[in-house]
């Protein structure tokens, strides 16, 4: 090539908006699977809120962040700047300044020394547990522990001792049995794992009592704040703020950011030593592509927009709890739980009645979750003005099924 010939410069802005839209309109992907409707199977209907009077109590959107226009704008701006994903693990080329900003944001919000974020909430919990608990350790866990905790315990291959659901006395009895068993040999390391709000029952953990037992027997305590972060406490900091327990007494707090913060992913917060260890030992951190940058930015924005939403949500939760009890339901969840787990009293055709209740409510535009424990209603602080319709439908269906 002649040295005097200048190379042709290619515009970096190769796709203008018009061309982009044309290509998107032309994209007609084939379905991954062939859908065949089974008339004998119950399907969860995708509910479109604010359309034809639909109230979606099946979706987890406690603070209404999924519907917030500022959140949507933030997501779009971040995608245009960073793209939709990093395609790499955090330790290689998957870390951006937004990931570091979110870790700092959560740590400061909770009052912890440091924080680490994962690309998936389930993995944040299971990997955090497996990074510390080993084969020779003894772990005390709730019989109603969520699947993420159970998976982490299985990965650790440790000895697991279960105590009755949210029962400090049952825990104390189990610890005493292990103490007697180890009286004449070298004691094992001991861990206690508790959930702020039980994924299964919606009941609150009596954290001060469990901390007391943990300190008495020198156990390390891990706290899952998935459904208490952004919900409990004056500022939404979770169960530690709710009970006034200094977060430094908790060795590690973790959870998903898929409930109140309206994003995807998970976090773990604790001391510098605890978090730094996971950057080399947390399998879900090391071997997974990092959280898409725009989802990290959404979580940051959600914390900034939280304001008084946690207190408003708790007020709504109390009101719904009282209403369900007036309807003569057995309410399993705590009054302040952001989701309500409730069932018909008695054993007479209970499962059939709940299935029918779920079906009729859906036909009336009220969408719930049907679970093994009963019916589940996920609350949303933005639905306060629509709850009267929920109450009217519930009362009508209860009378119908009486």
């Amino acid at each position: 090539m002649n040295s005097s010939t200048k190379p042709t410069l290619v515009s970096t802005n190769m796709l203008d908006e018009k061309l982009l839209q044309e290509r998107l309109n032309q994209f007609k992907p084939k379905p991954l699977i062939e859908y065949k409707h089974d008339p004998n199977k119950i399907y969860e209907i995708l509910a479109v809120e604010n359309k034809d009077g639909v109230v979606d109590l099946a979706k987890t959107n406690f603070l209404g962040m999924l519907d917030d226009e500022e959140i949507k704008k933030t997501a779009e701006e971040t995608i245009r700047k960073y793209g939709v994903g990093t395609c790499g693990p955090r330790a290689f080329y998957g870390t951006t300044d937004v990931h570091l900003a979110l870790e700092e944001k959560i740590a400061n919000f909770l009052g912890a020394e440091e924080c680490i974020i994962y690309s998936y909430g389930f993995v944040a919990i299971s990997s955090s547990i497996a990074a510390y608990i080993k084969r020779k350790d003894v772990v005390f866990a709730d019989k109603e522990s969520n699947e993420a905790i159970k998976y982490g315990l299985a990965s650790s291959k440790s000895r697991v001792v279960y105590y009755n659901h949210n029962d400090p006395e049952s825990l104390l009895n189990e610890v005493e049995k292990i103490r007697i068993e180890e009286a004449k040999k070298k004691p094992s390391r001991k861990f206690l794992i508790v959930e702020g709000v039980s994924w299964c029952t919606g009941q609150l953990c009596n954290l001060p009592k469990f901390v007391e037992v943990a300190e008495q027997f020198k156990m390390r305590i891990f706290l899952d704040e998935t459904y208490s972060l952004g919900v409990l406490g004056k500022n939404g900091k979770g169960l530690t703020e709710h009970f006034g327990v200094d977060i430094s007494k908790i060795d590690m707090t973790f959870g998903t950011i898929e409930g109140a913060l309206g994003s995807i992913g998970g976090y773990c917060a604790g001391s510098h030593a605890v978090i730094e260890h996971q950057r080399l030992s947390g399998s879900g951190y090391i071997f997974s592509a990092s959280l898409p940058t725009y989802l990290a930015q959404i979580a940051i924005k959600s914390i900034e927009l939280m304001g008084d939403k946690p207190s408003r949500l708790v007020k709504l939760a109390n009101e719904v709890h009282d209403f369900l009890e007036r309807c003569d339901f057995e309410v399993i969840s705590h009054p302040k739980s952001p989701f309500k787990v409730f069932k018909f009293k008695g054993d007479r055709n209970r499962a059939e009645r709940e299935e029918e209740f779920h079906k009729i409510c859906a036909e009336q535009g009220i969408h719930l979750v049907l679970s093994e424990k009963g019916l589940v209603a996920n609350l949303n602080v933005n639905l306060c003005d629509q709850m009267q319709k929920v109450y009217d439908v519930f009362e009508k269906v209860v009378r119908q099924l009486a």
Side-chain angles (χ1 to χ4, degrees), residues 45-165:
I45 301 172
L46 178 62
V48 181
E49 292 171 303
N50 302 321
K51 182 179 179 181
D52 300 326
V54 168
V55 180
D56 188 0
L57 300 179
K59 180 171 63 181
T60 304
N61 186 24
F62 302 139
L63 301 185
M65 296 300 183
L66 294 178
D67 313 307
D68 191 280
E69 292 302 320
E70 284 193 59
I71 294 290
K72 293 177 183 179
K73 183 179 179 182
T74 297
E76 181 181 346
E77 291 173 348
T78 309
I79 289 172
R80 290 185 180 279
K81 181 178 180 180
Y82 293 91
V84 293
T86 61
C87 300
R90 285 288 305 275
F92 292 93
Y93 46 87
T95 296
T96 68
D97 56 333
V98 180
H99 292 106
L100 301 177
L102 176 58
E103 290 176 339
E104 183 179 4
K105 189 78 171 181
I106 294 177
N108 292 338
F109 179 69
L110 297 177
E113 282 186 20
E114 207 165 308
C115 174
I116 185 173
I117 59 172
Y118 288 78
S119 54
Y120 185 44
F122 188 102
V123 171
I125 297 169
S126 60
S127 290
S128 297
I129 292 170
Y132 287 94
I133 301 174
K134 303 304 177 185
R135 188 185 297 272
K136 294 183 179 180
D137 299 331
V138 175
V139 189
F140 296 92
D142 195 299
K143 286 183 178 179
E144 297 283 4
S145 292
N146 62 60
E147 290 302 316
I149 290 176
K150 289 179 179 178
Y151 191 87
L153 292 174
S155 299
S156 71
K157 296 181 173 61
S158 58
R159 179 180 178 184
V160 183
V161 178
Y162 288 103
Y163 57 86
N164 294 334
H165 186 42

Side-chain angles (χ1 to χ4, degrees), residues 3-21:
S3 60
S4 62
T5 304
K6 293 183 179 180
T8 303
L9 295 177
V10 179
S11 172
T12 57
N13 187 21
M14 297 180 66
L15 286 177
D16 59 26
E17 287 294 325
K18 183 179 179 180
L19 180 58
L20 176 62
Q21 288 303 320

Side-chain angles (χ1 to χ4, degrees), residues 113-393:
E113 282 186 20
E114 207 165 308
C115 174
I116 185 173
I117 59 172
Y118 288 78
S119 54
Y120 185 44
F122 188 102
V123 171
I125 297 169
S126 60
S127 290
S128 297
I129 292 170
Y132 287 94
I133 301 174
K134 303 304 177 185
R135 188 185 297 272
K136 294 183 179 180
D137 299 331
V138 175
V139 189
F140 296 92
D142 195 299
K143 286 183 178 179
E144 297 283 4
S145 292
N146 62 60
E147 290 302 316
I149 290 176
K150 289 179 179 178
Y151 191 87
L153 292 174
S155 299
S156 71
K157 296 181 173 61
S158 58
R159 179 180 178 184
V160 183
V161 178
Y162 288 103
Y163 57 86
N164 294 334
H165 186 42
N166 279 346
D167 187 348
E169 288 299 321
S170 175
L171 168 64
L172 187 59
N173 292 336
E174 297 300 331
V175 175
E176 281 289 351
K177 292 177 185 177
I178 298 298
R179 187 184 66 82
I180 293 171
E181 180 184 314
E182 295 182 341
K184 295 184 179 180
K185 61 180 181 180
K186 182 180 178 181
S188 60
R189 295 195 309 171
K190 297 176 179 61
F191 294 82
L192 170 63
I193 302 177
V194 294
E195 295 178 61
V197 177
S198 169
W199 291 25
C200 187
T201 66
Q203 295 178 8
L204 263 64
C205 162
N206 189 343
L207 188 60
K209 290 290 185 181
F210 281 101
V211 169
E212 185 179 320
V213 175
E215 290 181 341
Q216 180 181 349
F217 293 95
K218 296 180 174 58
M219 291 191 288
R220 295 170 175 84
I221 182 167
F222 296 170
L223 171 63
D224 181 351
E225 292 264 40
T226 292
Y227 290 123
S228 45
L229 177 70
V231 176
L232 298 178
K234 181 181 178 182
N235 300 297
K237 296 182 180 180
L239 200 69
T240 52
E241 185 181 41
H242 174 75
F243 281 112
V245 174
D246 193 322
I247 196 171
S248 64
K249 292 189 175 184
I250 311 299
D251 294 277
M252 190 161 69
T253 65
F254 46 64
T256 77
I257 56 176
E258 298 155 9
L261 299 188
S263 186
I264 294 175
Y267 74 95
C268 178
S271 66
H272 171 76
V274 164
I275 300 306
E276 197 64 23
H277 175 72
Q278 286 186 57
R279 299 193 190 279
L280 297 176
S281 301
S283 58
Y285 180 87
I286 298 170
F287 300 112
S288 297
S290 63
L291 181 69
T293 308
Y294 76 96
L295 292 174
Q297 189 64 58
I298 285 174
I300 292 173
K301 192 67 176 179
S302 294
I303 294 173
E304 294 172 352
L305 295 175
M306 197 175 291
D308 66 343
K309 288 184 178 182
S311 59
R312 287 163 50 202
L313 178 64
V314 168
K315 180 181 178 182
L316 174 63
N318 282 315
E319 291 174 357
V320 174
H321 186 95
D322 292 341
F323 167 77
L324 291 172
E325 288 189 331
R326 290 198 302 273
C327 281
D328 209 29
F329 282 111
E330 180 182 342
V331 187
I332 301 171
S333 52
H334 189 275
K336 293 184 178 181
S337 172
F339 60 93
K340 298 301 167 189
V341 183
F342 57 101
K343 62 182 181 179
F344 284 99
K345 291 182 178 179
D347 296 325
R348 181 180 63 85
N349 300 324
R350 185 176 71 82
E352 291 80 2
R353 293 166 73 197
E354 287 168 1
E355 186 175 313
E356 189 66 16
F357 183 92
H358 176 268
K359 178 183 176 182
I360 297 174
C361 284
E363 292 171 351
Q364 298 293 318
I366 310 298
H367 295 272
L368 305 165
V369 176
L370 186 60
S371 73
E372 293 180 357
K373 292 290 183 180
L375 296 154
V376 180
N378 290 303
L379 303 182
N380 181 340
V381 72
N382 290 341
L383 296 180
C384 292
D385 59 344
Q386 298 183 53
M387 291 308 295
Q388 189 56 53
K389 176 184 177 178
V390 176
Y391 299 156
D392 292 342
V393 171

